[in-house]
Every structure is written in C-alpha cells, then in structure tokens.
Amino acid sequence: MRMKFLLCSSLLAIMAVLSIMTGARMYSLSQLTEALFHTDPSRAVDSIIRTSRLPRTFLAMGVGAFLAVAGGLMQALTRNPLASPGLFGVNAGAALMIVLASSFFAIGDPWITLLLAFTGACATSTLVWFASKVSNGQLNPLRLVLAGIAITALCNAFTQAILVIDQESLDTMLFWLAGSLASNDLQHIYPMLAPGVLLVIAACLFAGQMSVLNAGEDIARGLGQNIALVRLLASILVVGLAGCAVALAGNIGFIGLIVPHIARQLFGSDLRRTLPACALLGALLLLAADIAARVVILPQEVPVGVMTALMGAPFFILLAQRRGNHAG
C-alpha cells in the first residue's frame, strides 16, 4: 500500500514538472531549474515560470484534490457510486451566485469571488438537504438525488438566462463556466488555496467517522455515533471543498465522480486510505487534463473542463452499464 502511495506521489511530482515546462512556449528542465533556484527578475522566462506556470500547477493540483475528496465523501454519504459534488447542487449554486453578482457588480477581488461561491454553494446545498429529509428527520438518499437534480437544473436555467440577457457577462463568463485554470490573478492564488487545503485535512481526519457510518447505521448507533451529526459534518465538508474549487477554477466536472472509483480500486474501500488517495489522484488527474488542454490546439488552449468531460464521460457510461448489468 505504501508503495502505491509512493508511486502515485512520484508520478504527481513528474507531472508537476511537466506542467511547469508545458504551454504555448515549451521550457527546458535547465530553464526551469534556473527560474526556481537562481531567479533573475530581468529574465522573462523566470517571471513567466514563477508568476504563471508554477501557480497554475499548484492551482490544478489543489482544485483536483478538492473535487476528488468532495466526491469521495459524497459517494460515502449517499452510498451511491454515481454521486458527485454536483449532486448537492453545489457547483450550480456557486456558479449562479458568481454570475448573478458579476452581472450587477464588477468583481475584482478573488476573495469576494470565493465568498460568493461559498454562499451560493451553501444556499443550494441547504435547499437540497432539507428537501431530502423524510418525516423522521433522517436523510433519504433517493430524495437527495432527486432534489439535487431538480435544484441543479433550476440553477443552471437561471445562470443561462442571466448570461443571455447580459451579453457582456456572457463574453467574460463562458470560458470560466466551462472550467478554466487560466486566471489573471495566478500570482495571488496561494492564500486562496489555504481554505481548501484545511478542508482536505479535516476530511481525512474525519474519514474514520464516515467509515463507521458506512459499516451500517445499526453498528454506528451501537458504537454511540451521532449519525445525523456525522452526515451534517460530511455535507459541510462537501459544500466547502466543491465551493472552493468552483470559485478558483469554475465548473469542472467528472473529477469528483471518477477519482473515488480509481482510489477504491487501488487502495481499498476504507475511507481512511481512500480519501488521502482521492486527494493525490485528483491532483494528478486534473494536472494531466490541464497539460493536455494546453497542448491539444497550440498556441490556443481548451478549457480544462472540456478535457475532464472528454475523459470522464466514457468512464461514466461504462460505470452505468456495469451497474445496470449487475442490477439485471
């Protein structure tokens, strides 16, 4: 098991180096080393690597980890292997709030964008949470799915309506809504990753409680676990992680869906191993998708959300078919 973690970590380090070297203009390993360890402010290469390529690499790894851990928690919470953070309406709510605010105000501060995303994510997830409750106050997984689909569709409809009415917002927001790691404020990205990193750590520490719950509600109650509180805390972590990811990089899909499956195949179903593996593999997968997005149509780049959809859609279809065959 340790060898698998070590192998994935080594592969992530290699992909990080490739990410810094790759773009409209390719840089050599010697140029990268010079820029990182012998910086000369007068060299344009050093400036590009340190203020654009390096922050973008950290952004891809952070957002990938946030989405993957949120997906792992979501699938454990609902006991549904087809669940993802979008099931709570988190992505759609965060996007709607940002688009709505952008159509009325000029948002220049990235922290305001982060706050707006959290607000929208919390609002929609709260609606989904209460809509999925049954009469005894417990969470109903089937109602959760139905409420999430309905509220996500409603948020997406409002978002599209706003963009159709406000053409200026349409021009500036479409690339972001497709999922993008190309930000104008990349040099200021480090402090904005901090909330998500803290939530990932909290989720990994919380994994033991979720593992007990997954063993069965009767067992969890017998061990004195407060099931409602555990589910509420897991939901808060999902909302926080997904909201942070949307604020930083827009609506990137499929990472939260496919990475937990890969993590379970490689590291088993124990969440104490699965969630750290999700963070590692999510960072690796989104970094690989971002590298591909930058080189597929040089010198332009494809939104990274498009690349993750191209990778994730066939996986989702295969997974749905397998579950259908097992059900049959």
Side-chain angles (χ1 to χ4, degrees), residues 237-292:
L237 288 171
V238 170
V239 170
L241 287 166
C244 190
V246 172
L248 289 168
N251 196 5
I252 297 176
F254 289 102
I255 296 292
L257 172 65
I258 65 177
V259 170
H261 289 277
I262 299 173
R264 285 192 291 269
Q265 289 292 324
L266 293 176
F267 298 95
S269 58
D270 189 339
L271 285 175
R272 288 171 292 185
R273 293 193 301 267
T274 302
L275 289 186
C278 281
L280 186 60
L281 294 172
L284 179 59
L285 183 59
L286 189 57
L287 199 56
D290 185 46
I291 294 172

Side-chain angles (χ1 to χ4, degrees), residues 54-236:
L54 187 62
R56 179 167 180 163
T57 299
F58 281 116
L59 177 62
M61 291 192 294
V63 170
F66 303 162
L67 290 172
V69 173
L73 281 172
M74 195 71 212
Q75 291 177 10
L77 178 66
T78 61
R79 296 187 180 181
N80 181 0
L82 299 180
S84 66
L87 184 63
F88 255 175
V90 172
N91 294 0
L96 173 60
M97 184 62 69
I98 293 173
V99 170
L100 184 63
S102 299
S103 64
F104 291 101
F105 308 101
I107 303 175
D109 190 341
W111 286 103
I112 295 178
T113 303
L114 188 62
L115 180 61
L116 288 169
F118 274 122
T119 303
C122 288
T124 51
S125 60
T126 301
L127 287 174
V128 173
W129 176 271
F130 282 106
S132 60
K133 292 280 187 143
V134 293
S135 57
N136 58 4
Q138 295 183 350
L139 189 69
N140 185 303
L142 179 58
R143 286 192 181 187
L144 181 68
V145 172
L146 296 176
I149 292 173
I151 292 175
T152 296
L154 184 63
C155 289
N156 288 336
F158 276 116
T159 299
Q160 293 171 6
I162 293 170
L163 293 176
V164 168
I165 294 171
D166 188 353
Q167 291 296 320
E168 293 183 4
S169 295
L170 175 63
D171 295 336
T172 57
M173 297 298 292
L174 273 182
F175 193 73
W176 178 85
L177 287 172
S180 172
L181 298 170
S183 170
N184 294 325
D185 300 309
L186 280 174
Q187 61 269 32
H188 306 301
I189 211 70
Y190 301 114
M192 293 188 64
L193 287 171
V197 172
L198 293 175
L199 288 171
V200 168
I201 295 172
C204 292
L205 295 175
F206 185 67
Q209 297 293 323
M210 286 298 297
S211 293
V212 172
L213 180 60
N214 282 343
E217 292 188 7
D218 293 336
I219 295 176
R221 288 194 183 95
L223 294 173
Q225 188 179 73
N226 188 331
I227 295 176
L229 180 60
V230 170
R231 283 174 170 164
L232 177 60
L233 291 176
S235 301
I236 292 172

Side-chain angles (χ1 to χ4, degrees), residues 298-310:
L298 284 173
Q300 296 178 323
E301 66 177 71
V302 176
V304 70
V306 175
M307 295 304 300
T308 58
L310 289 174

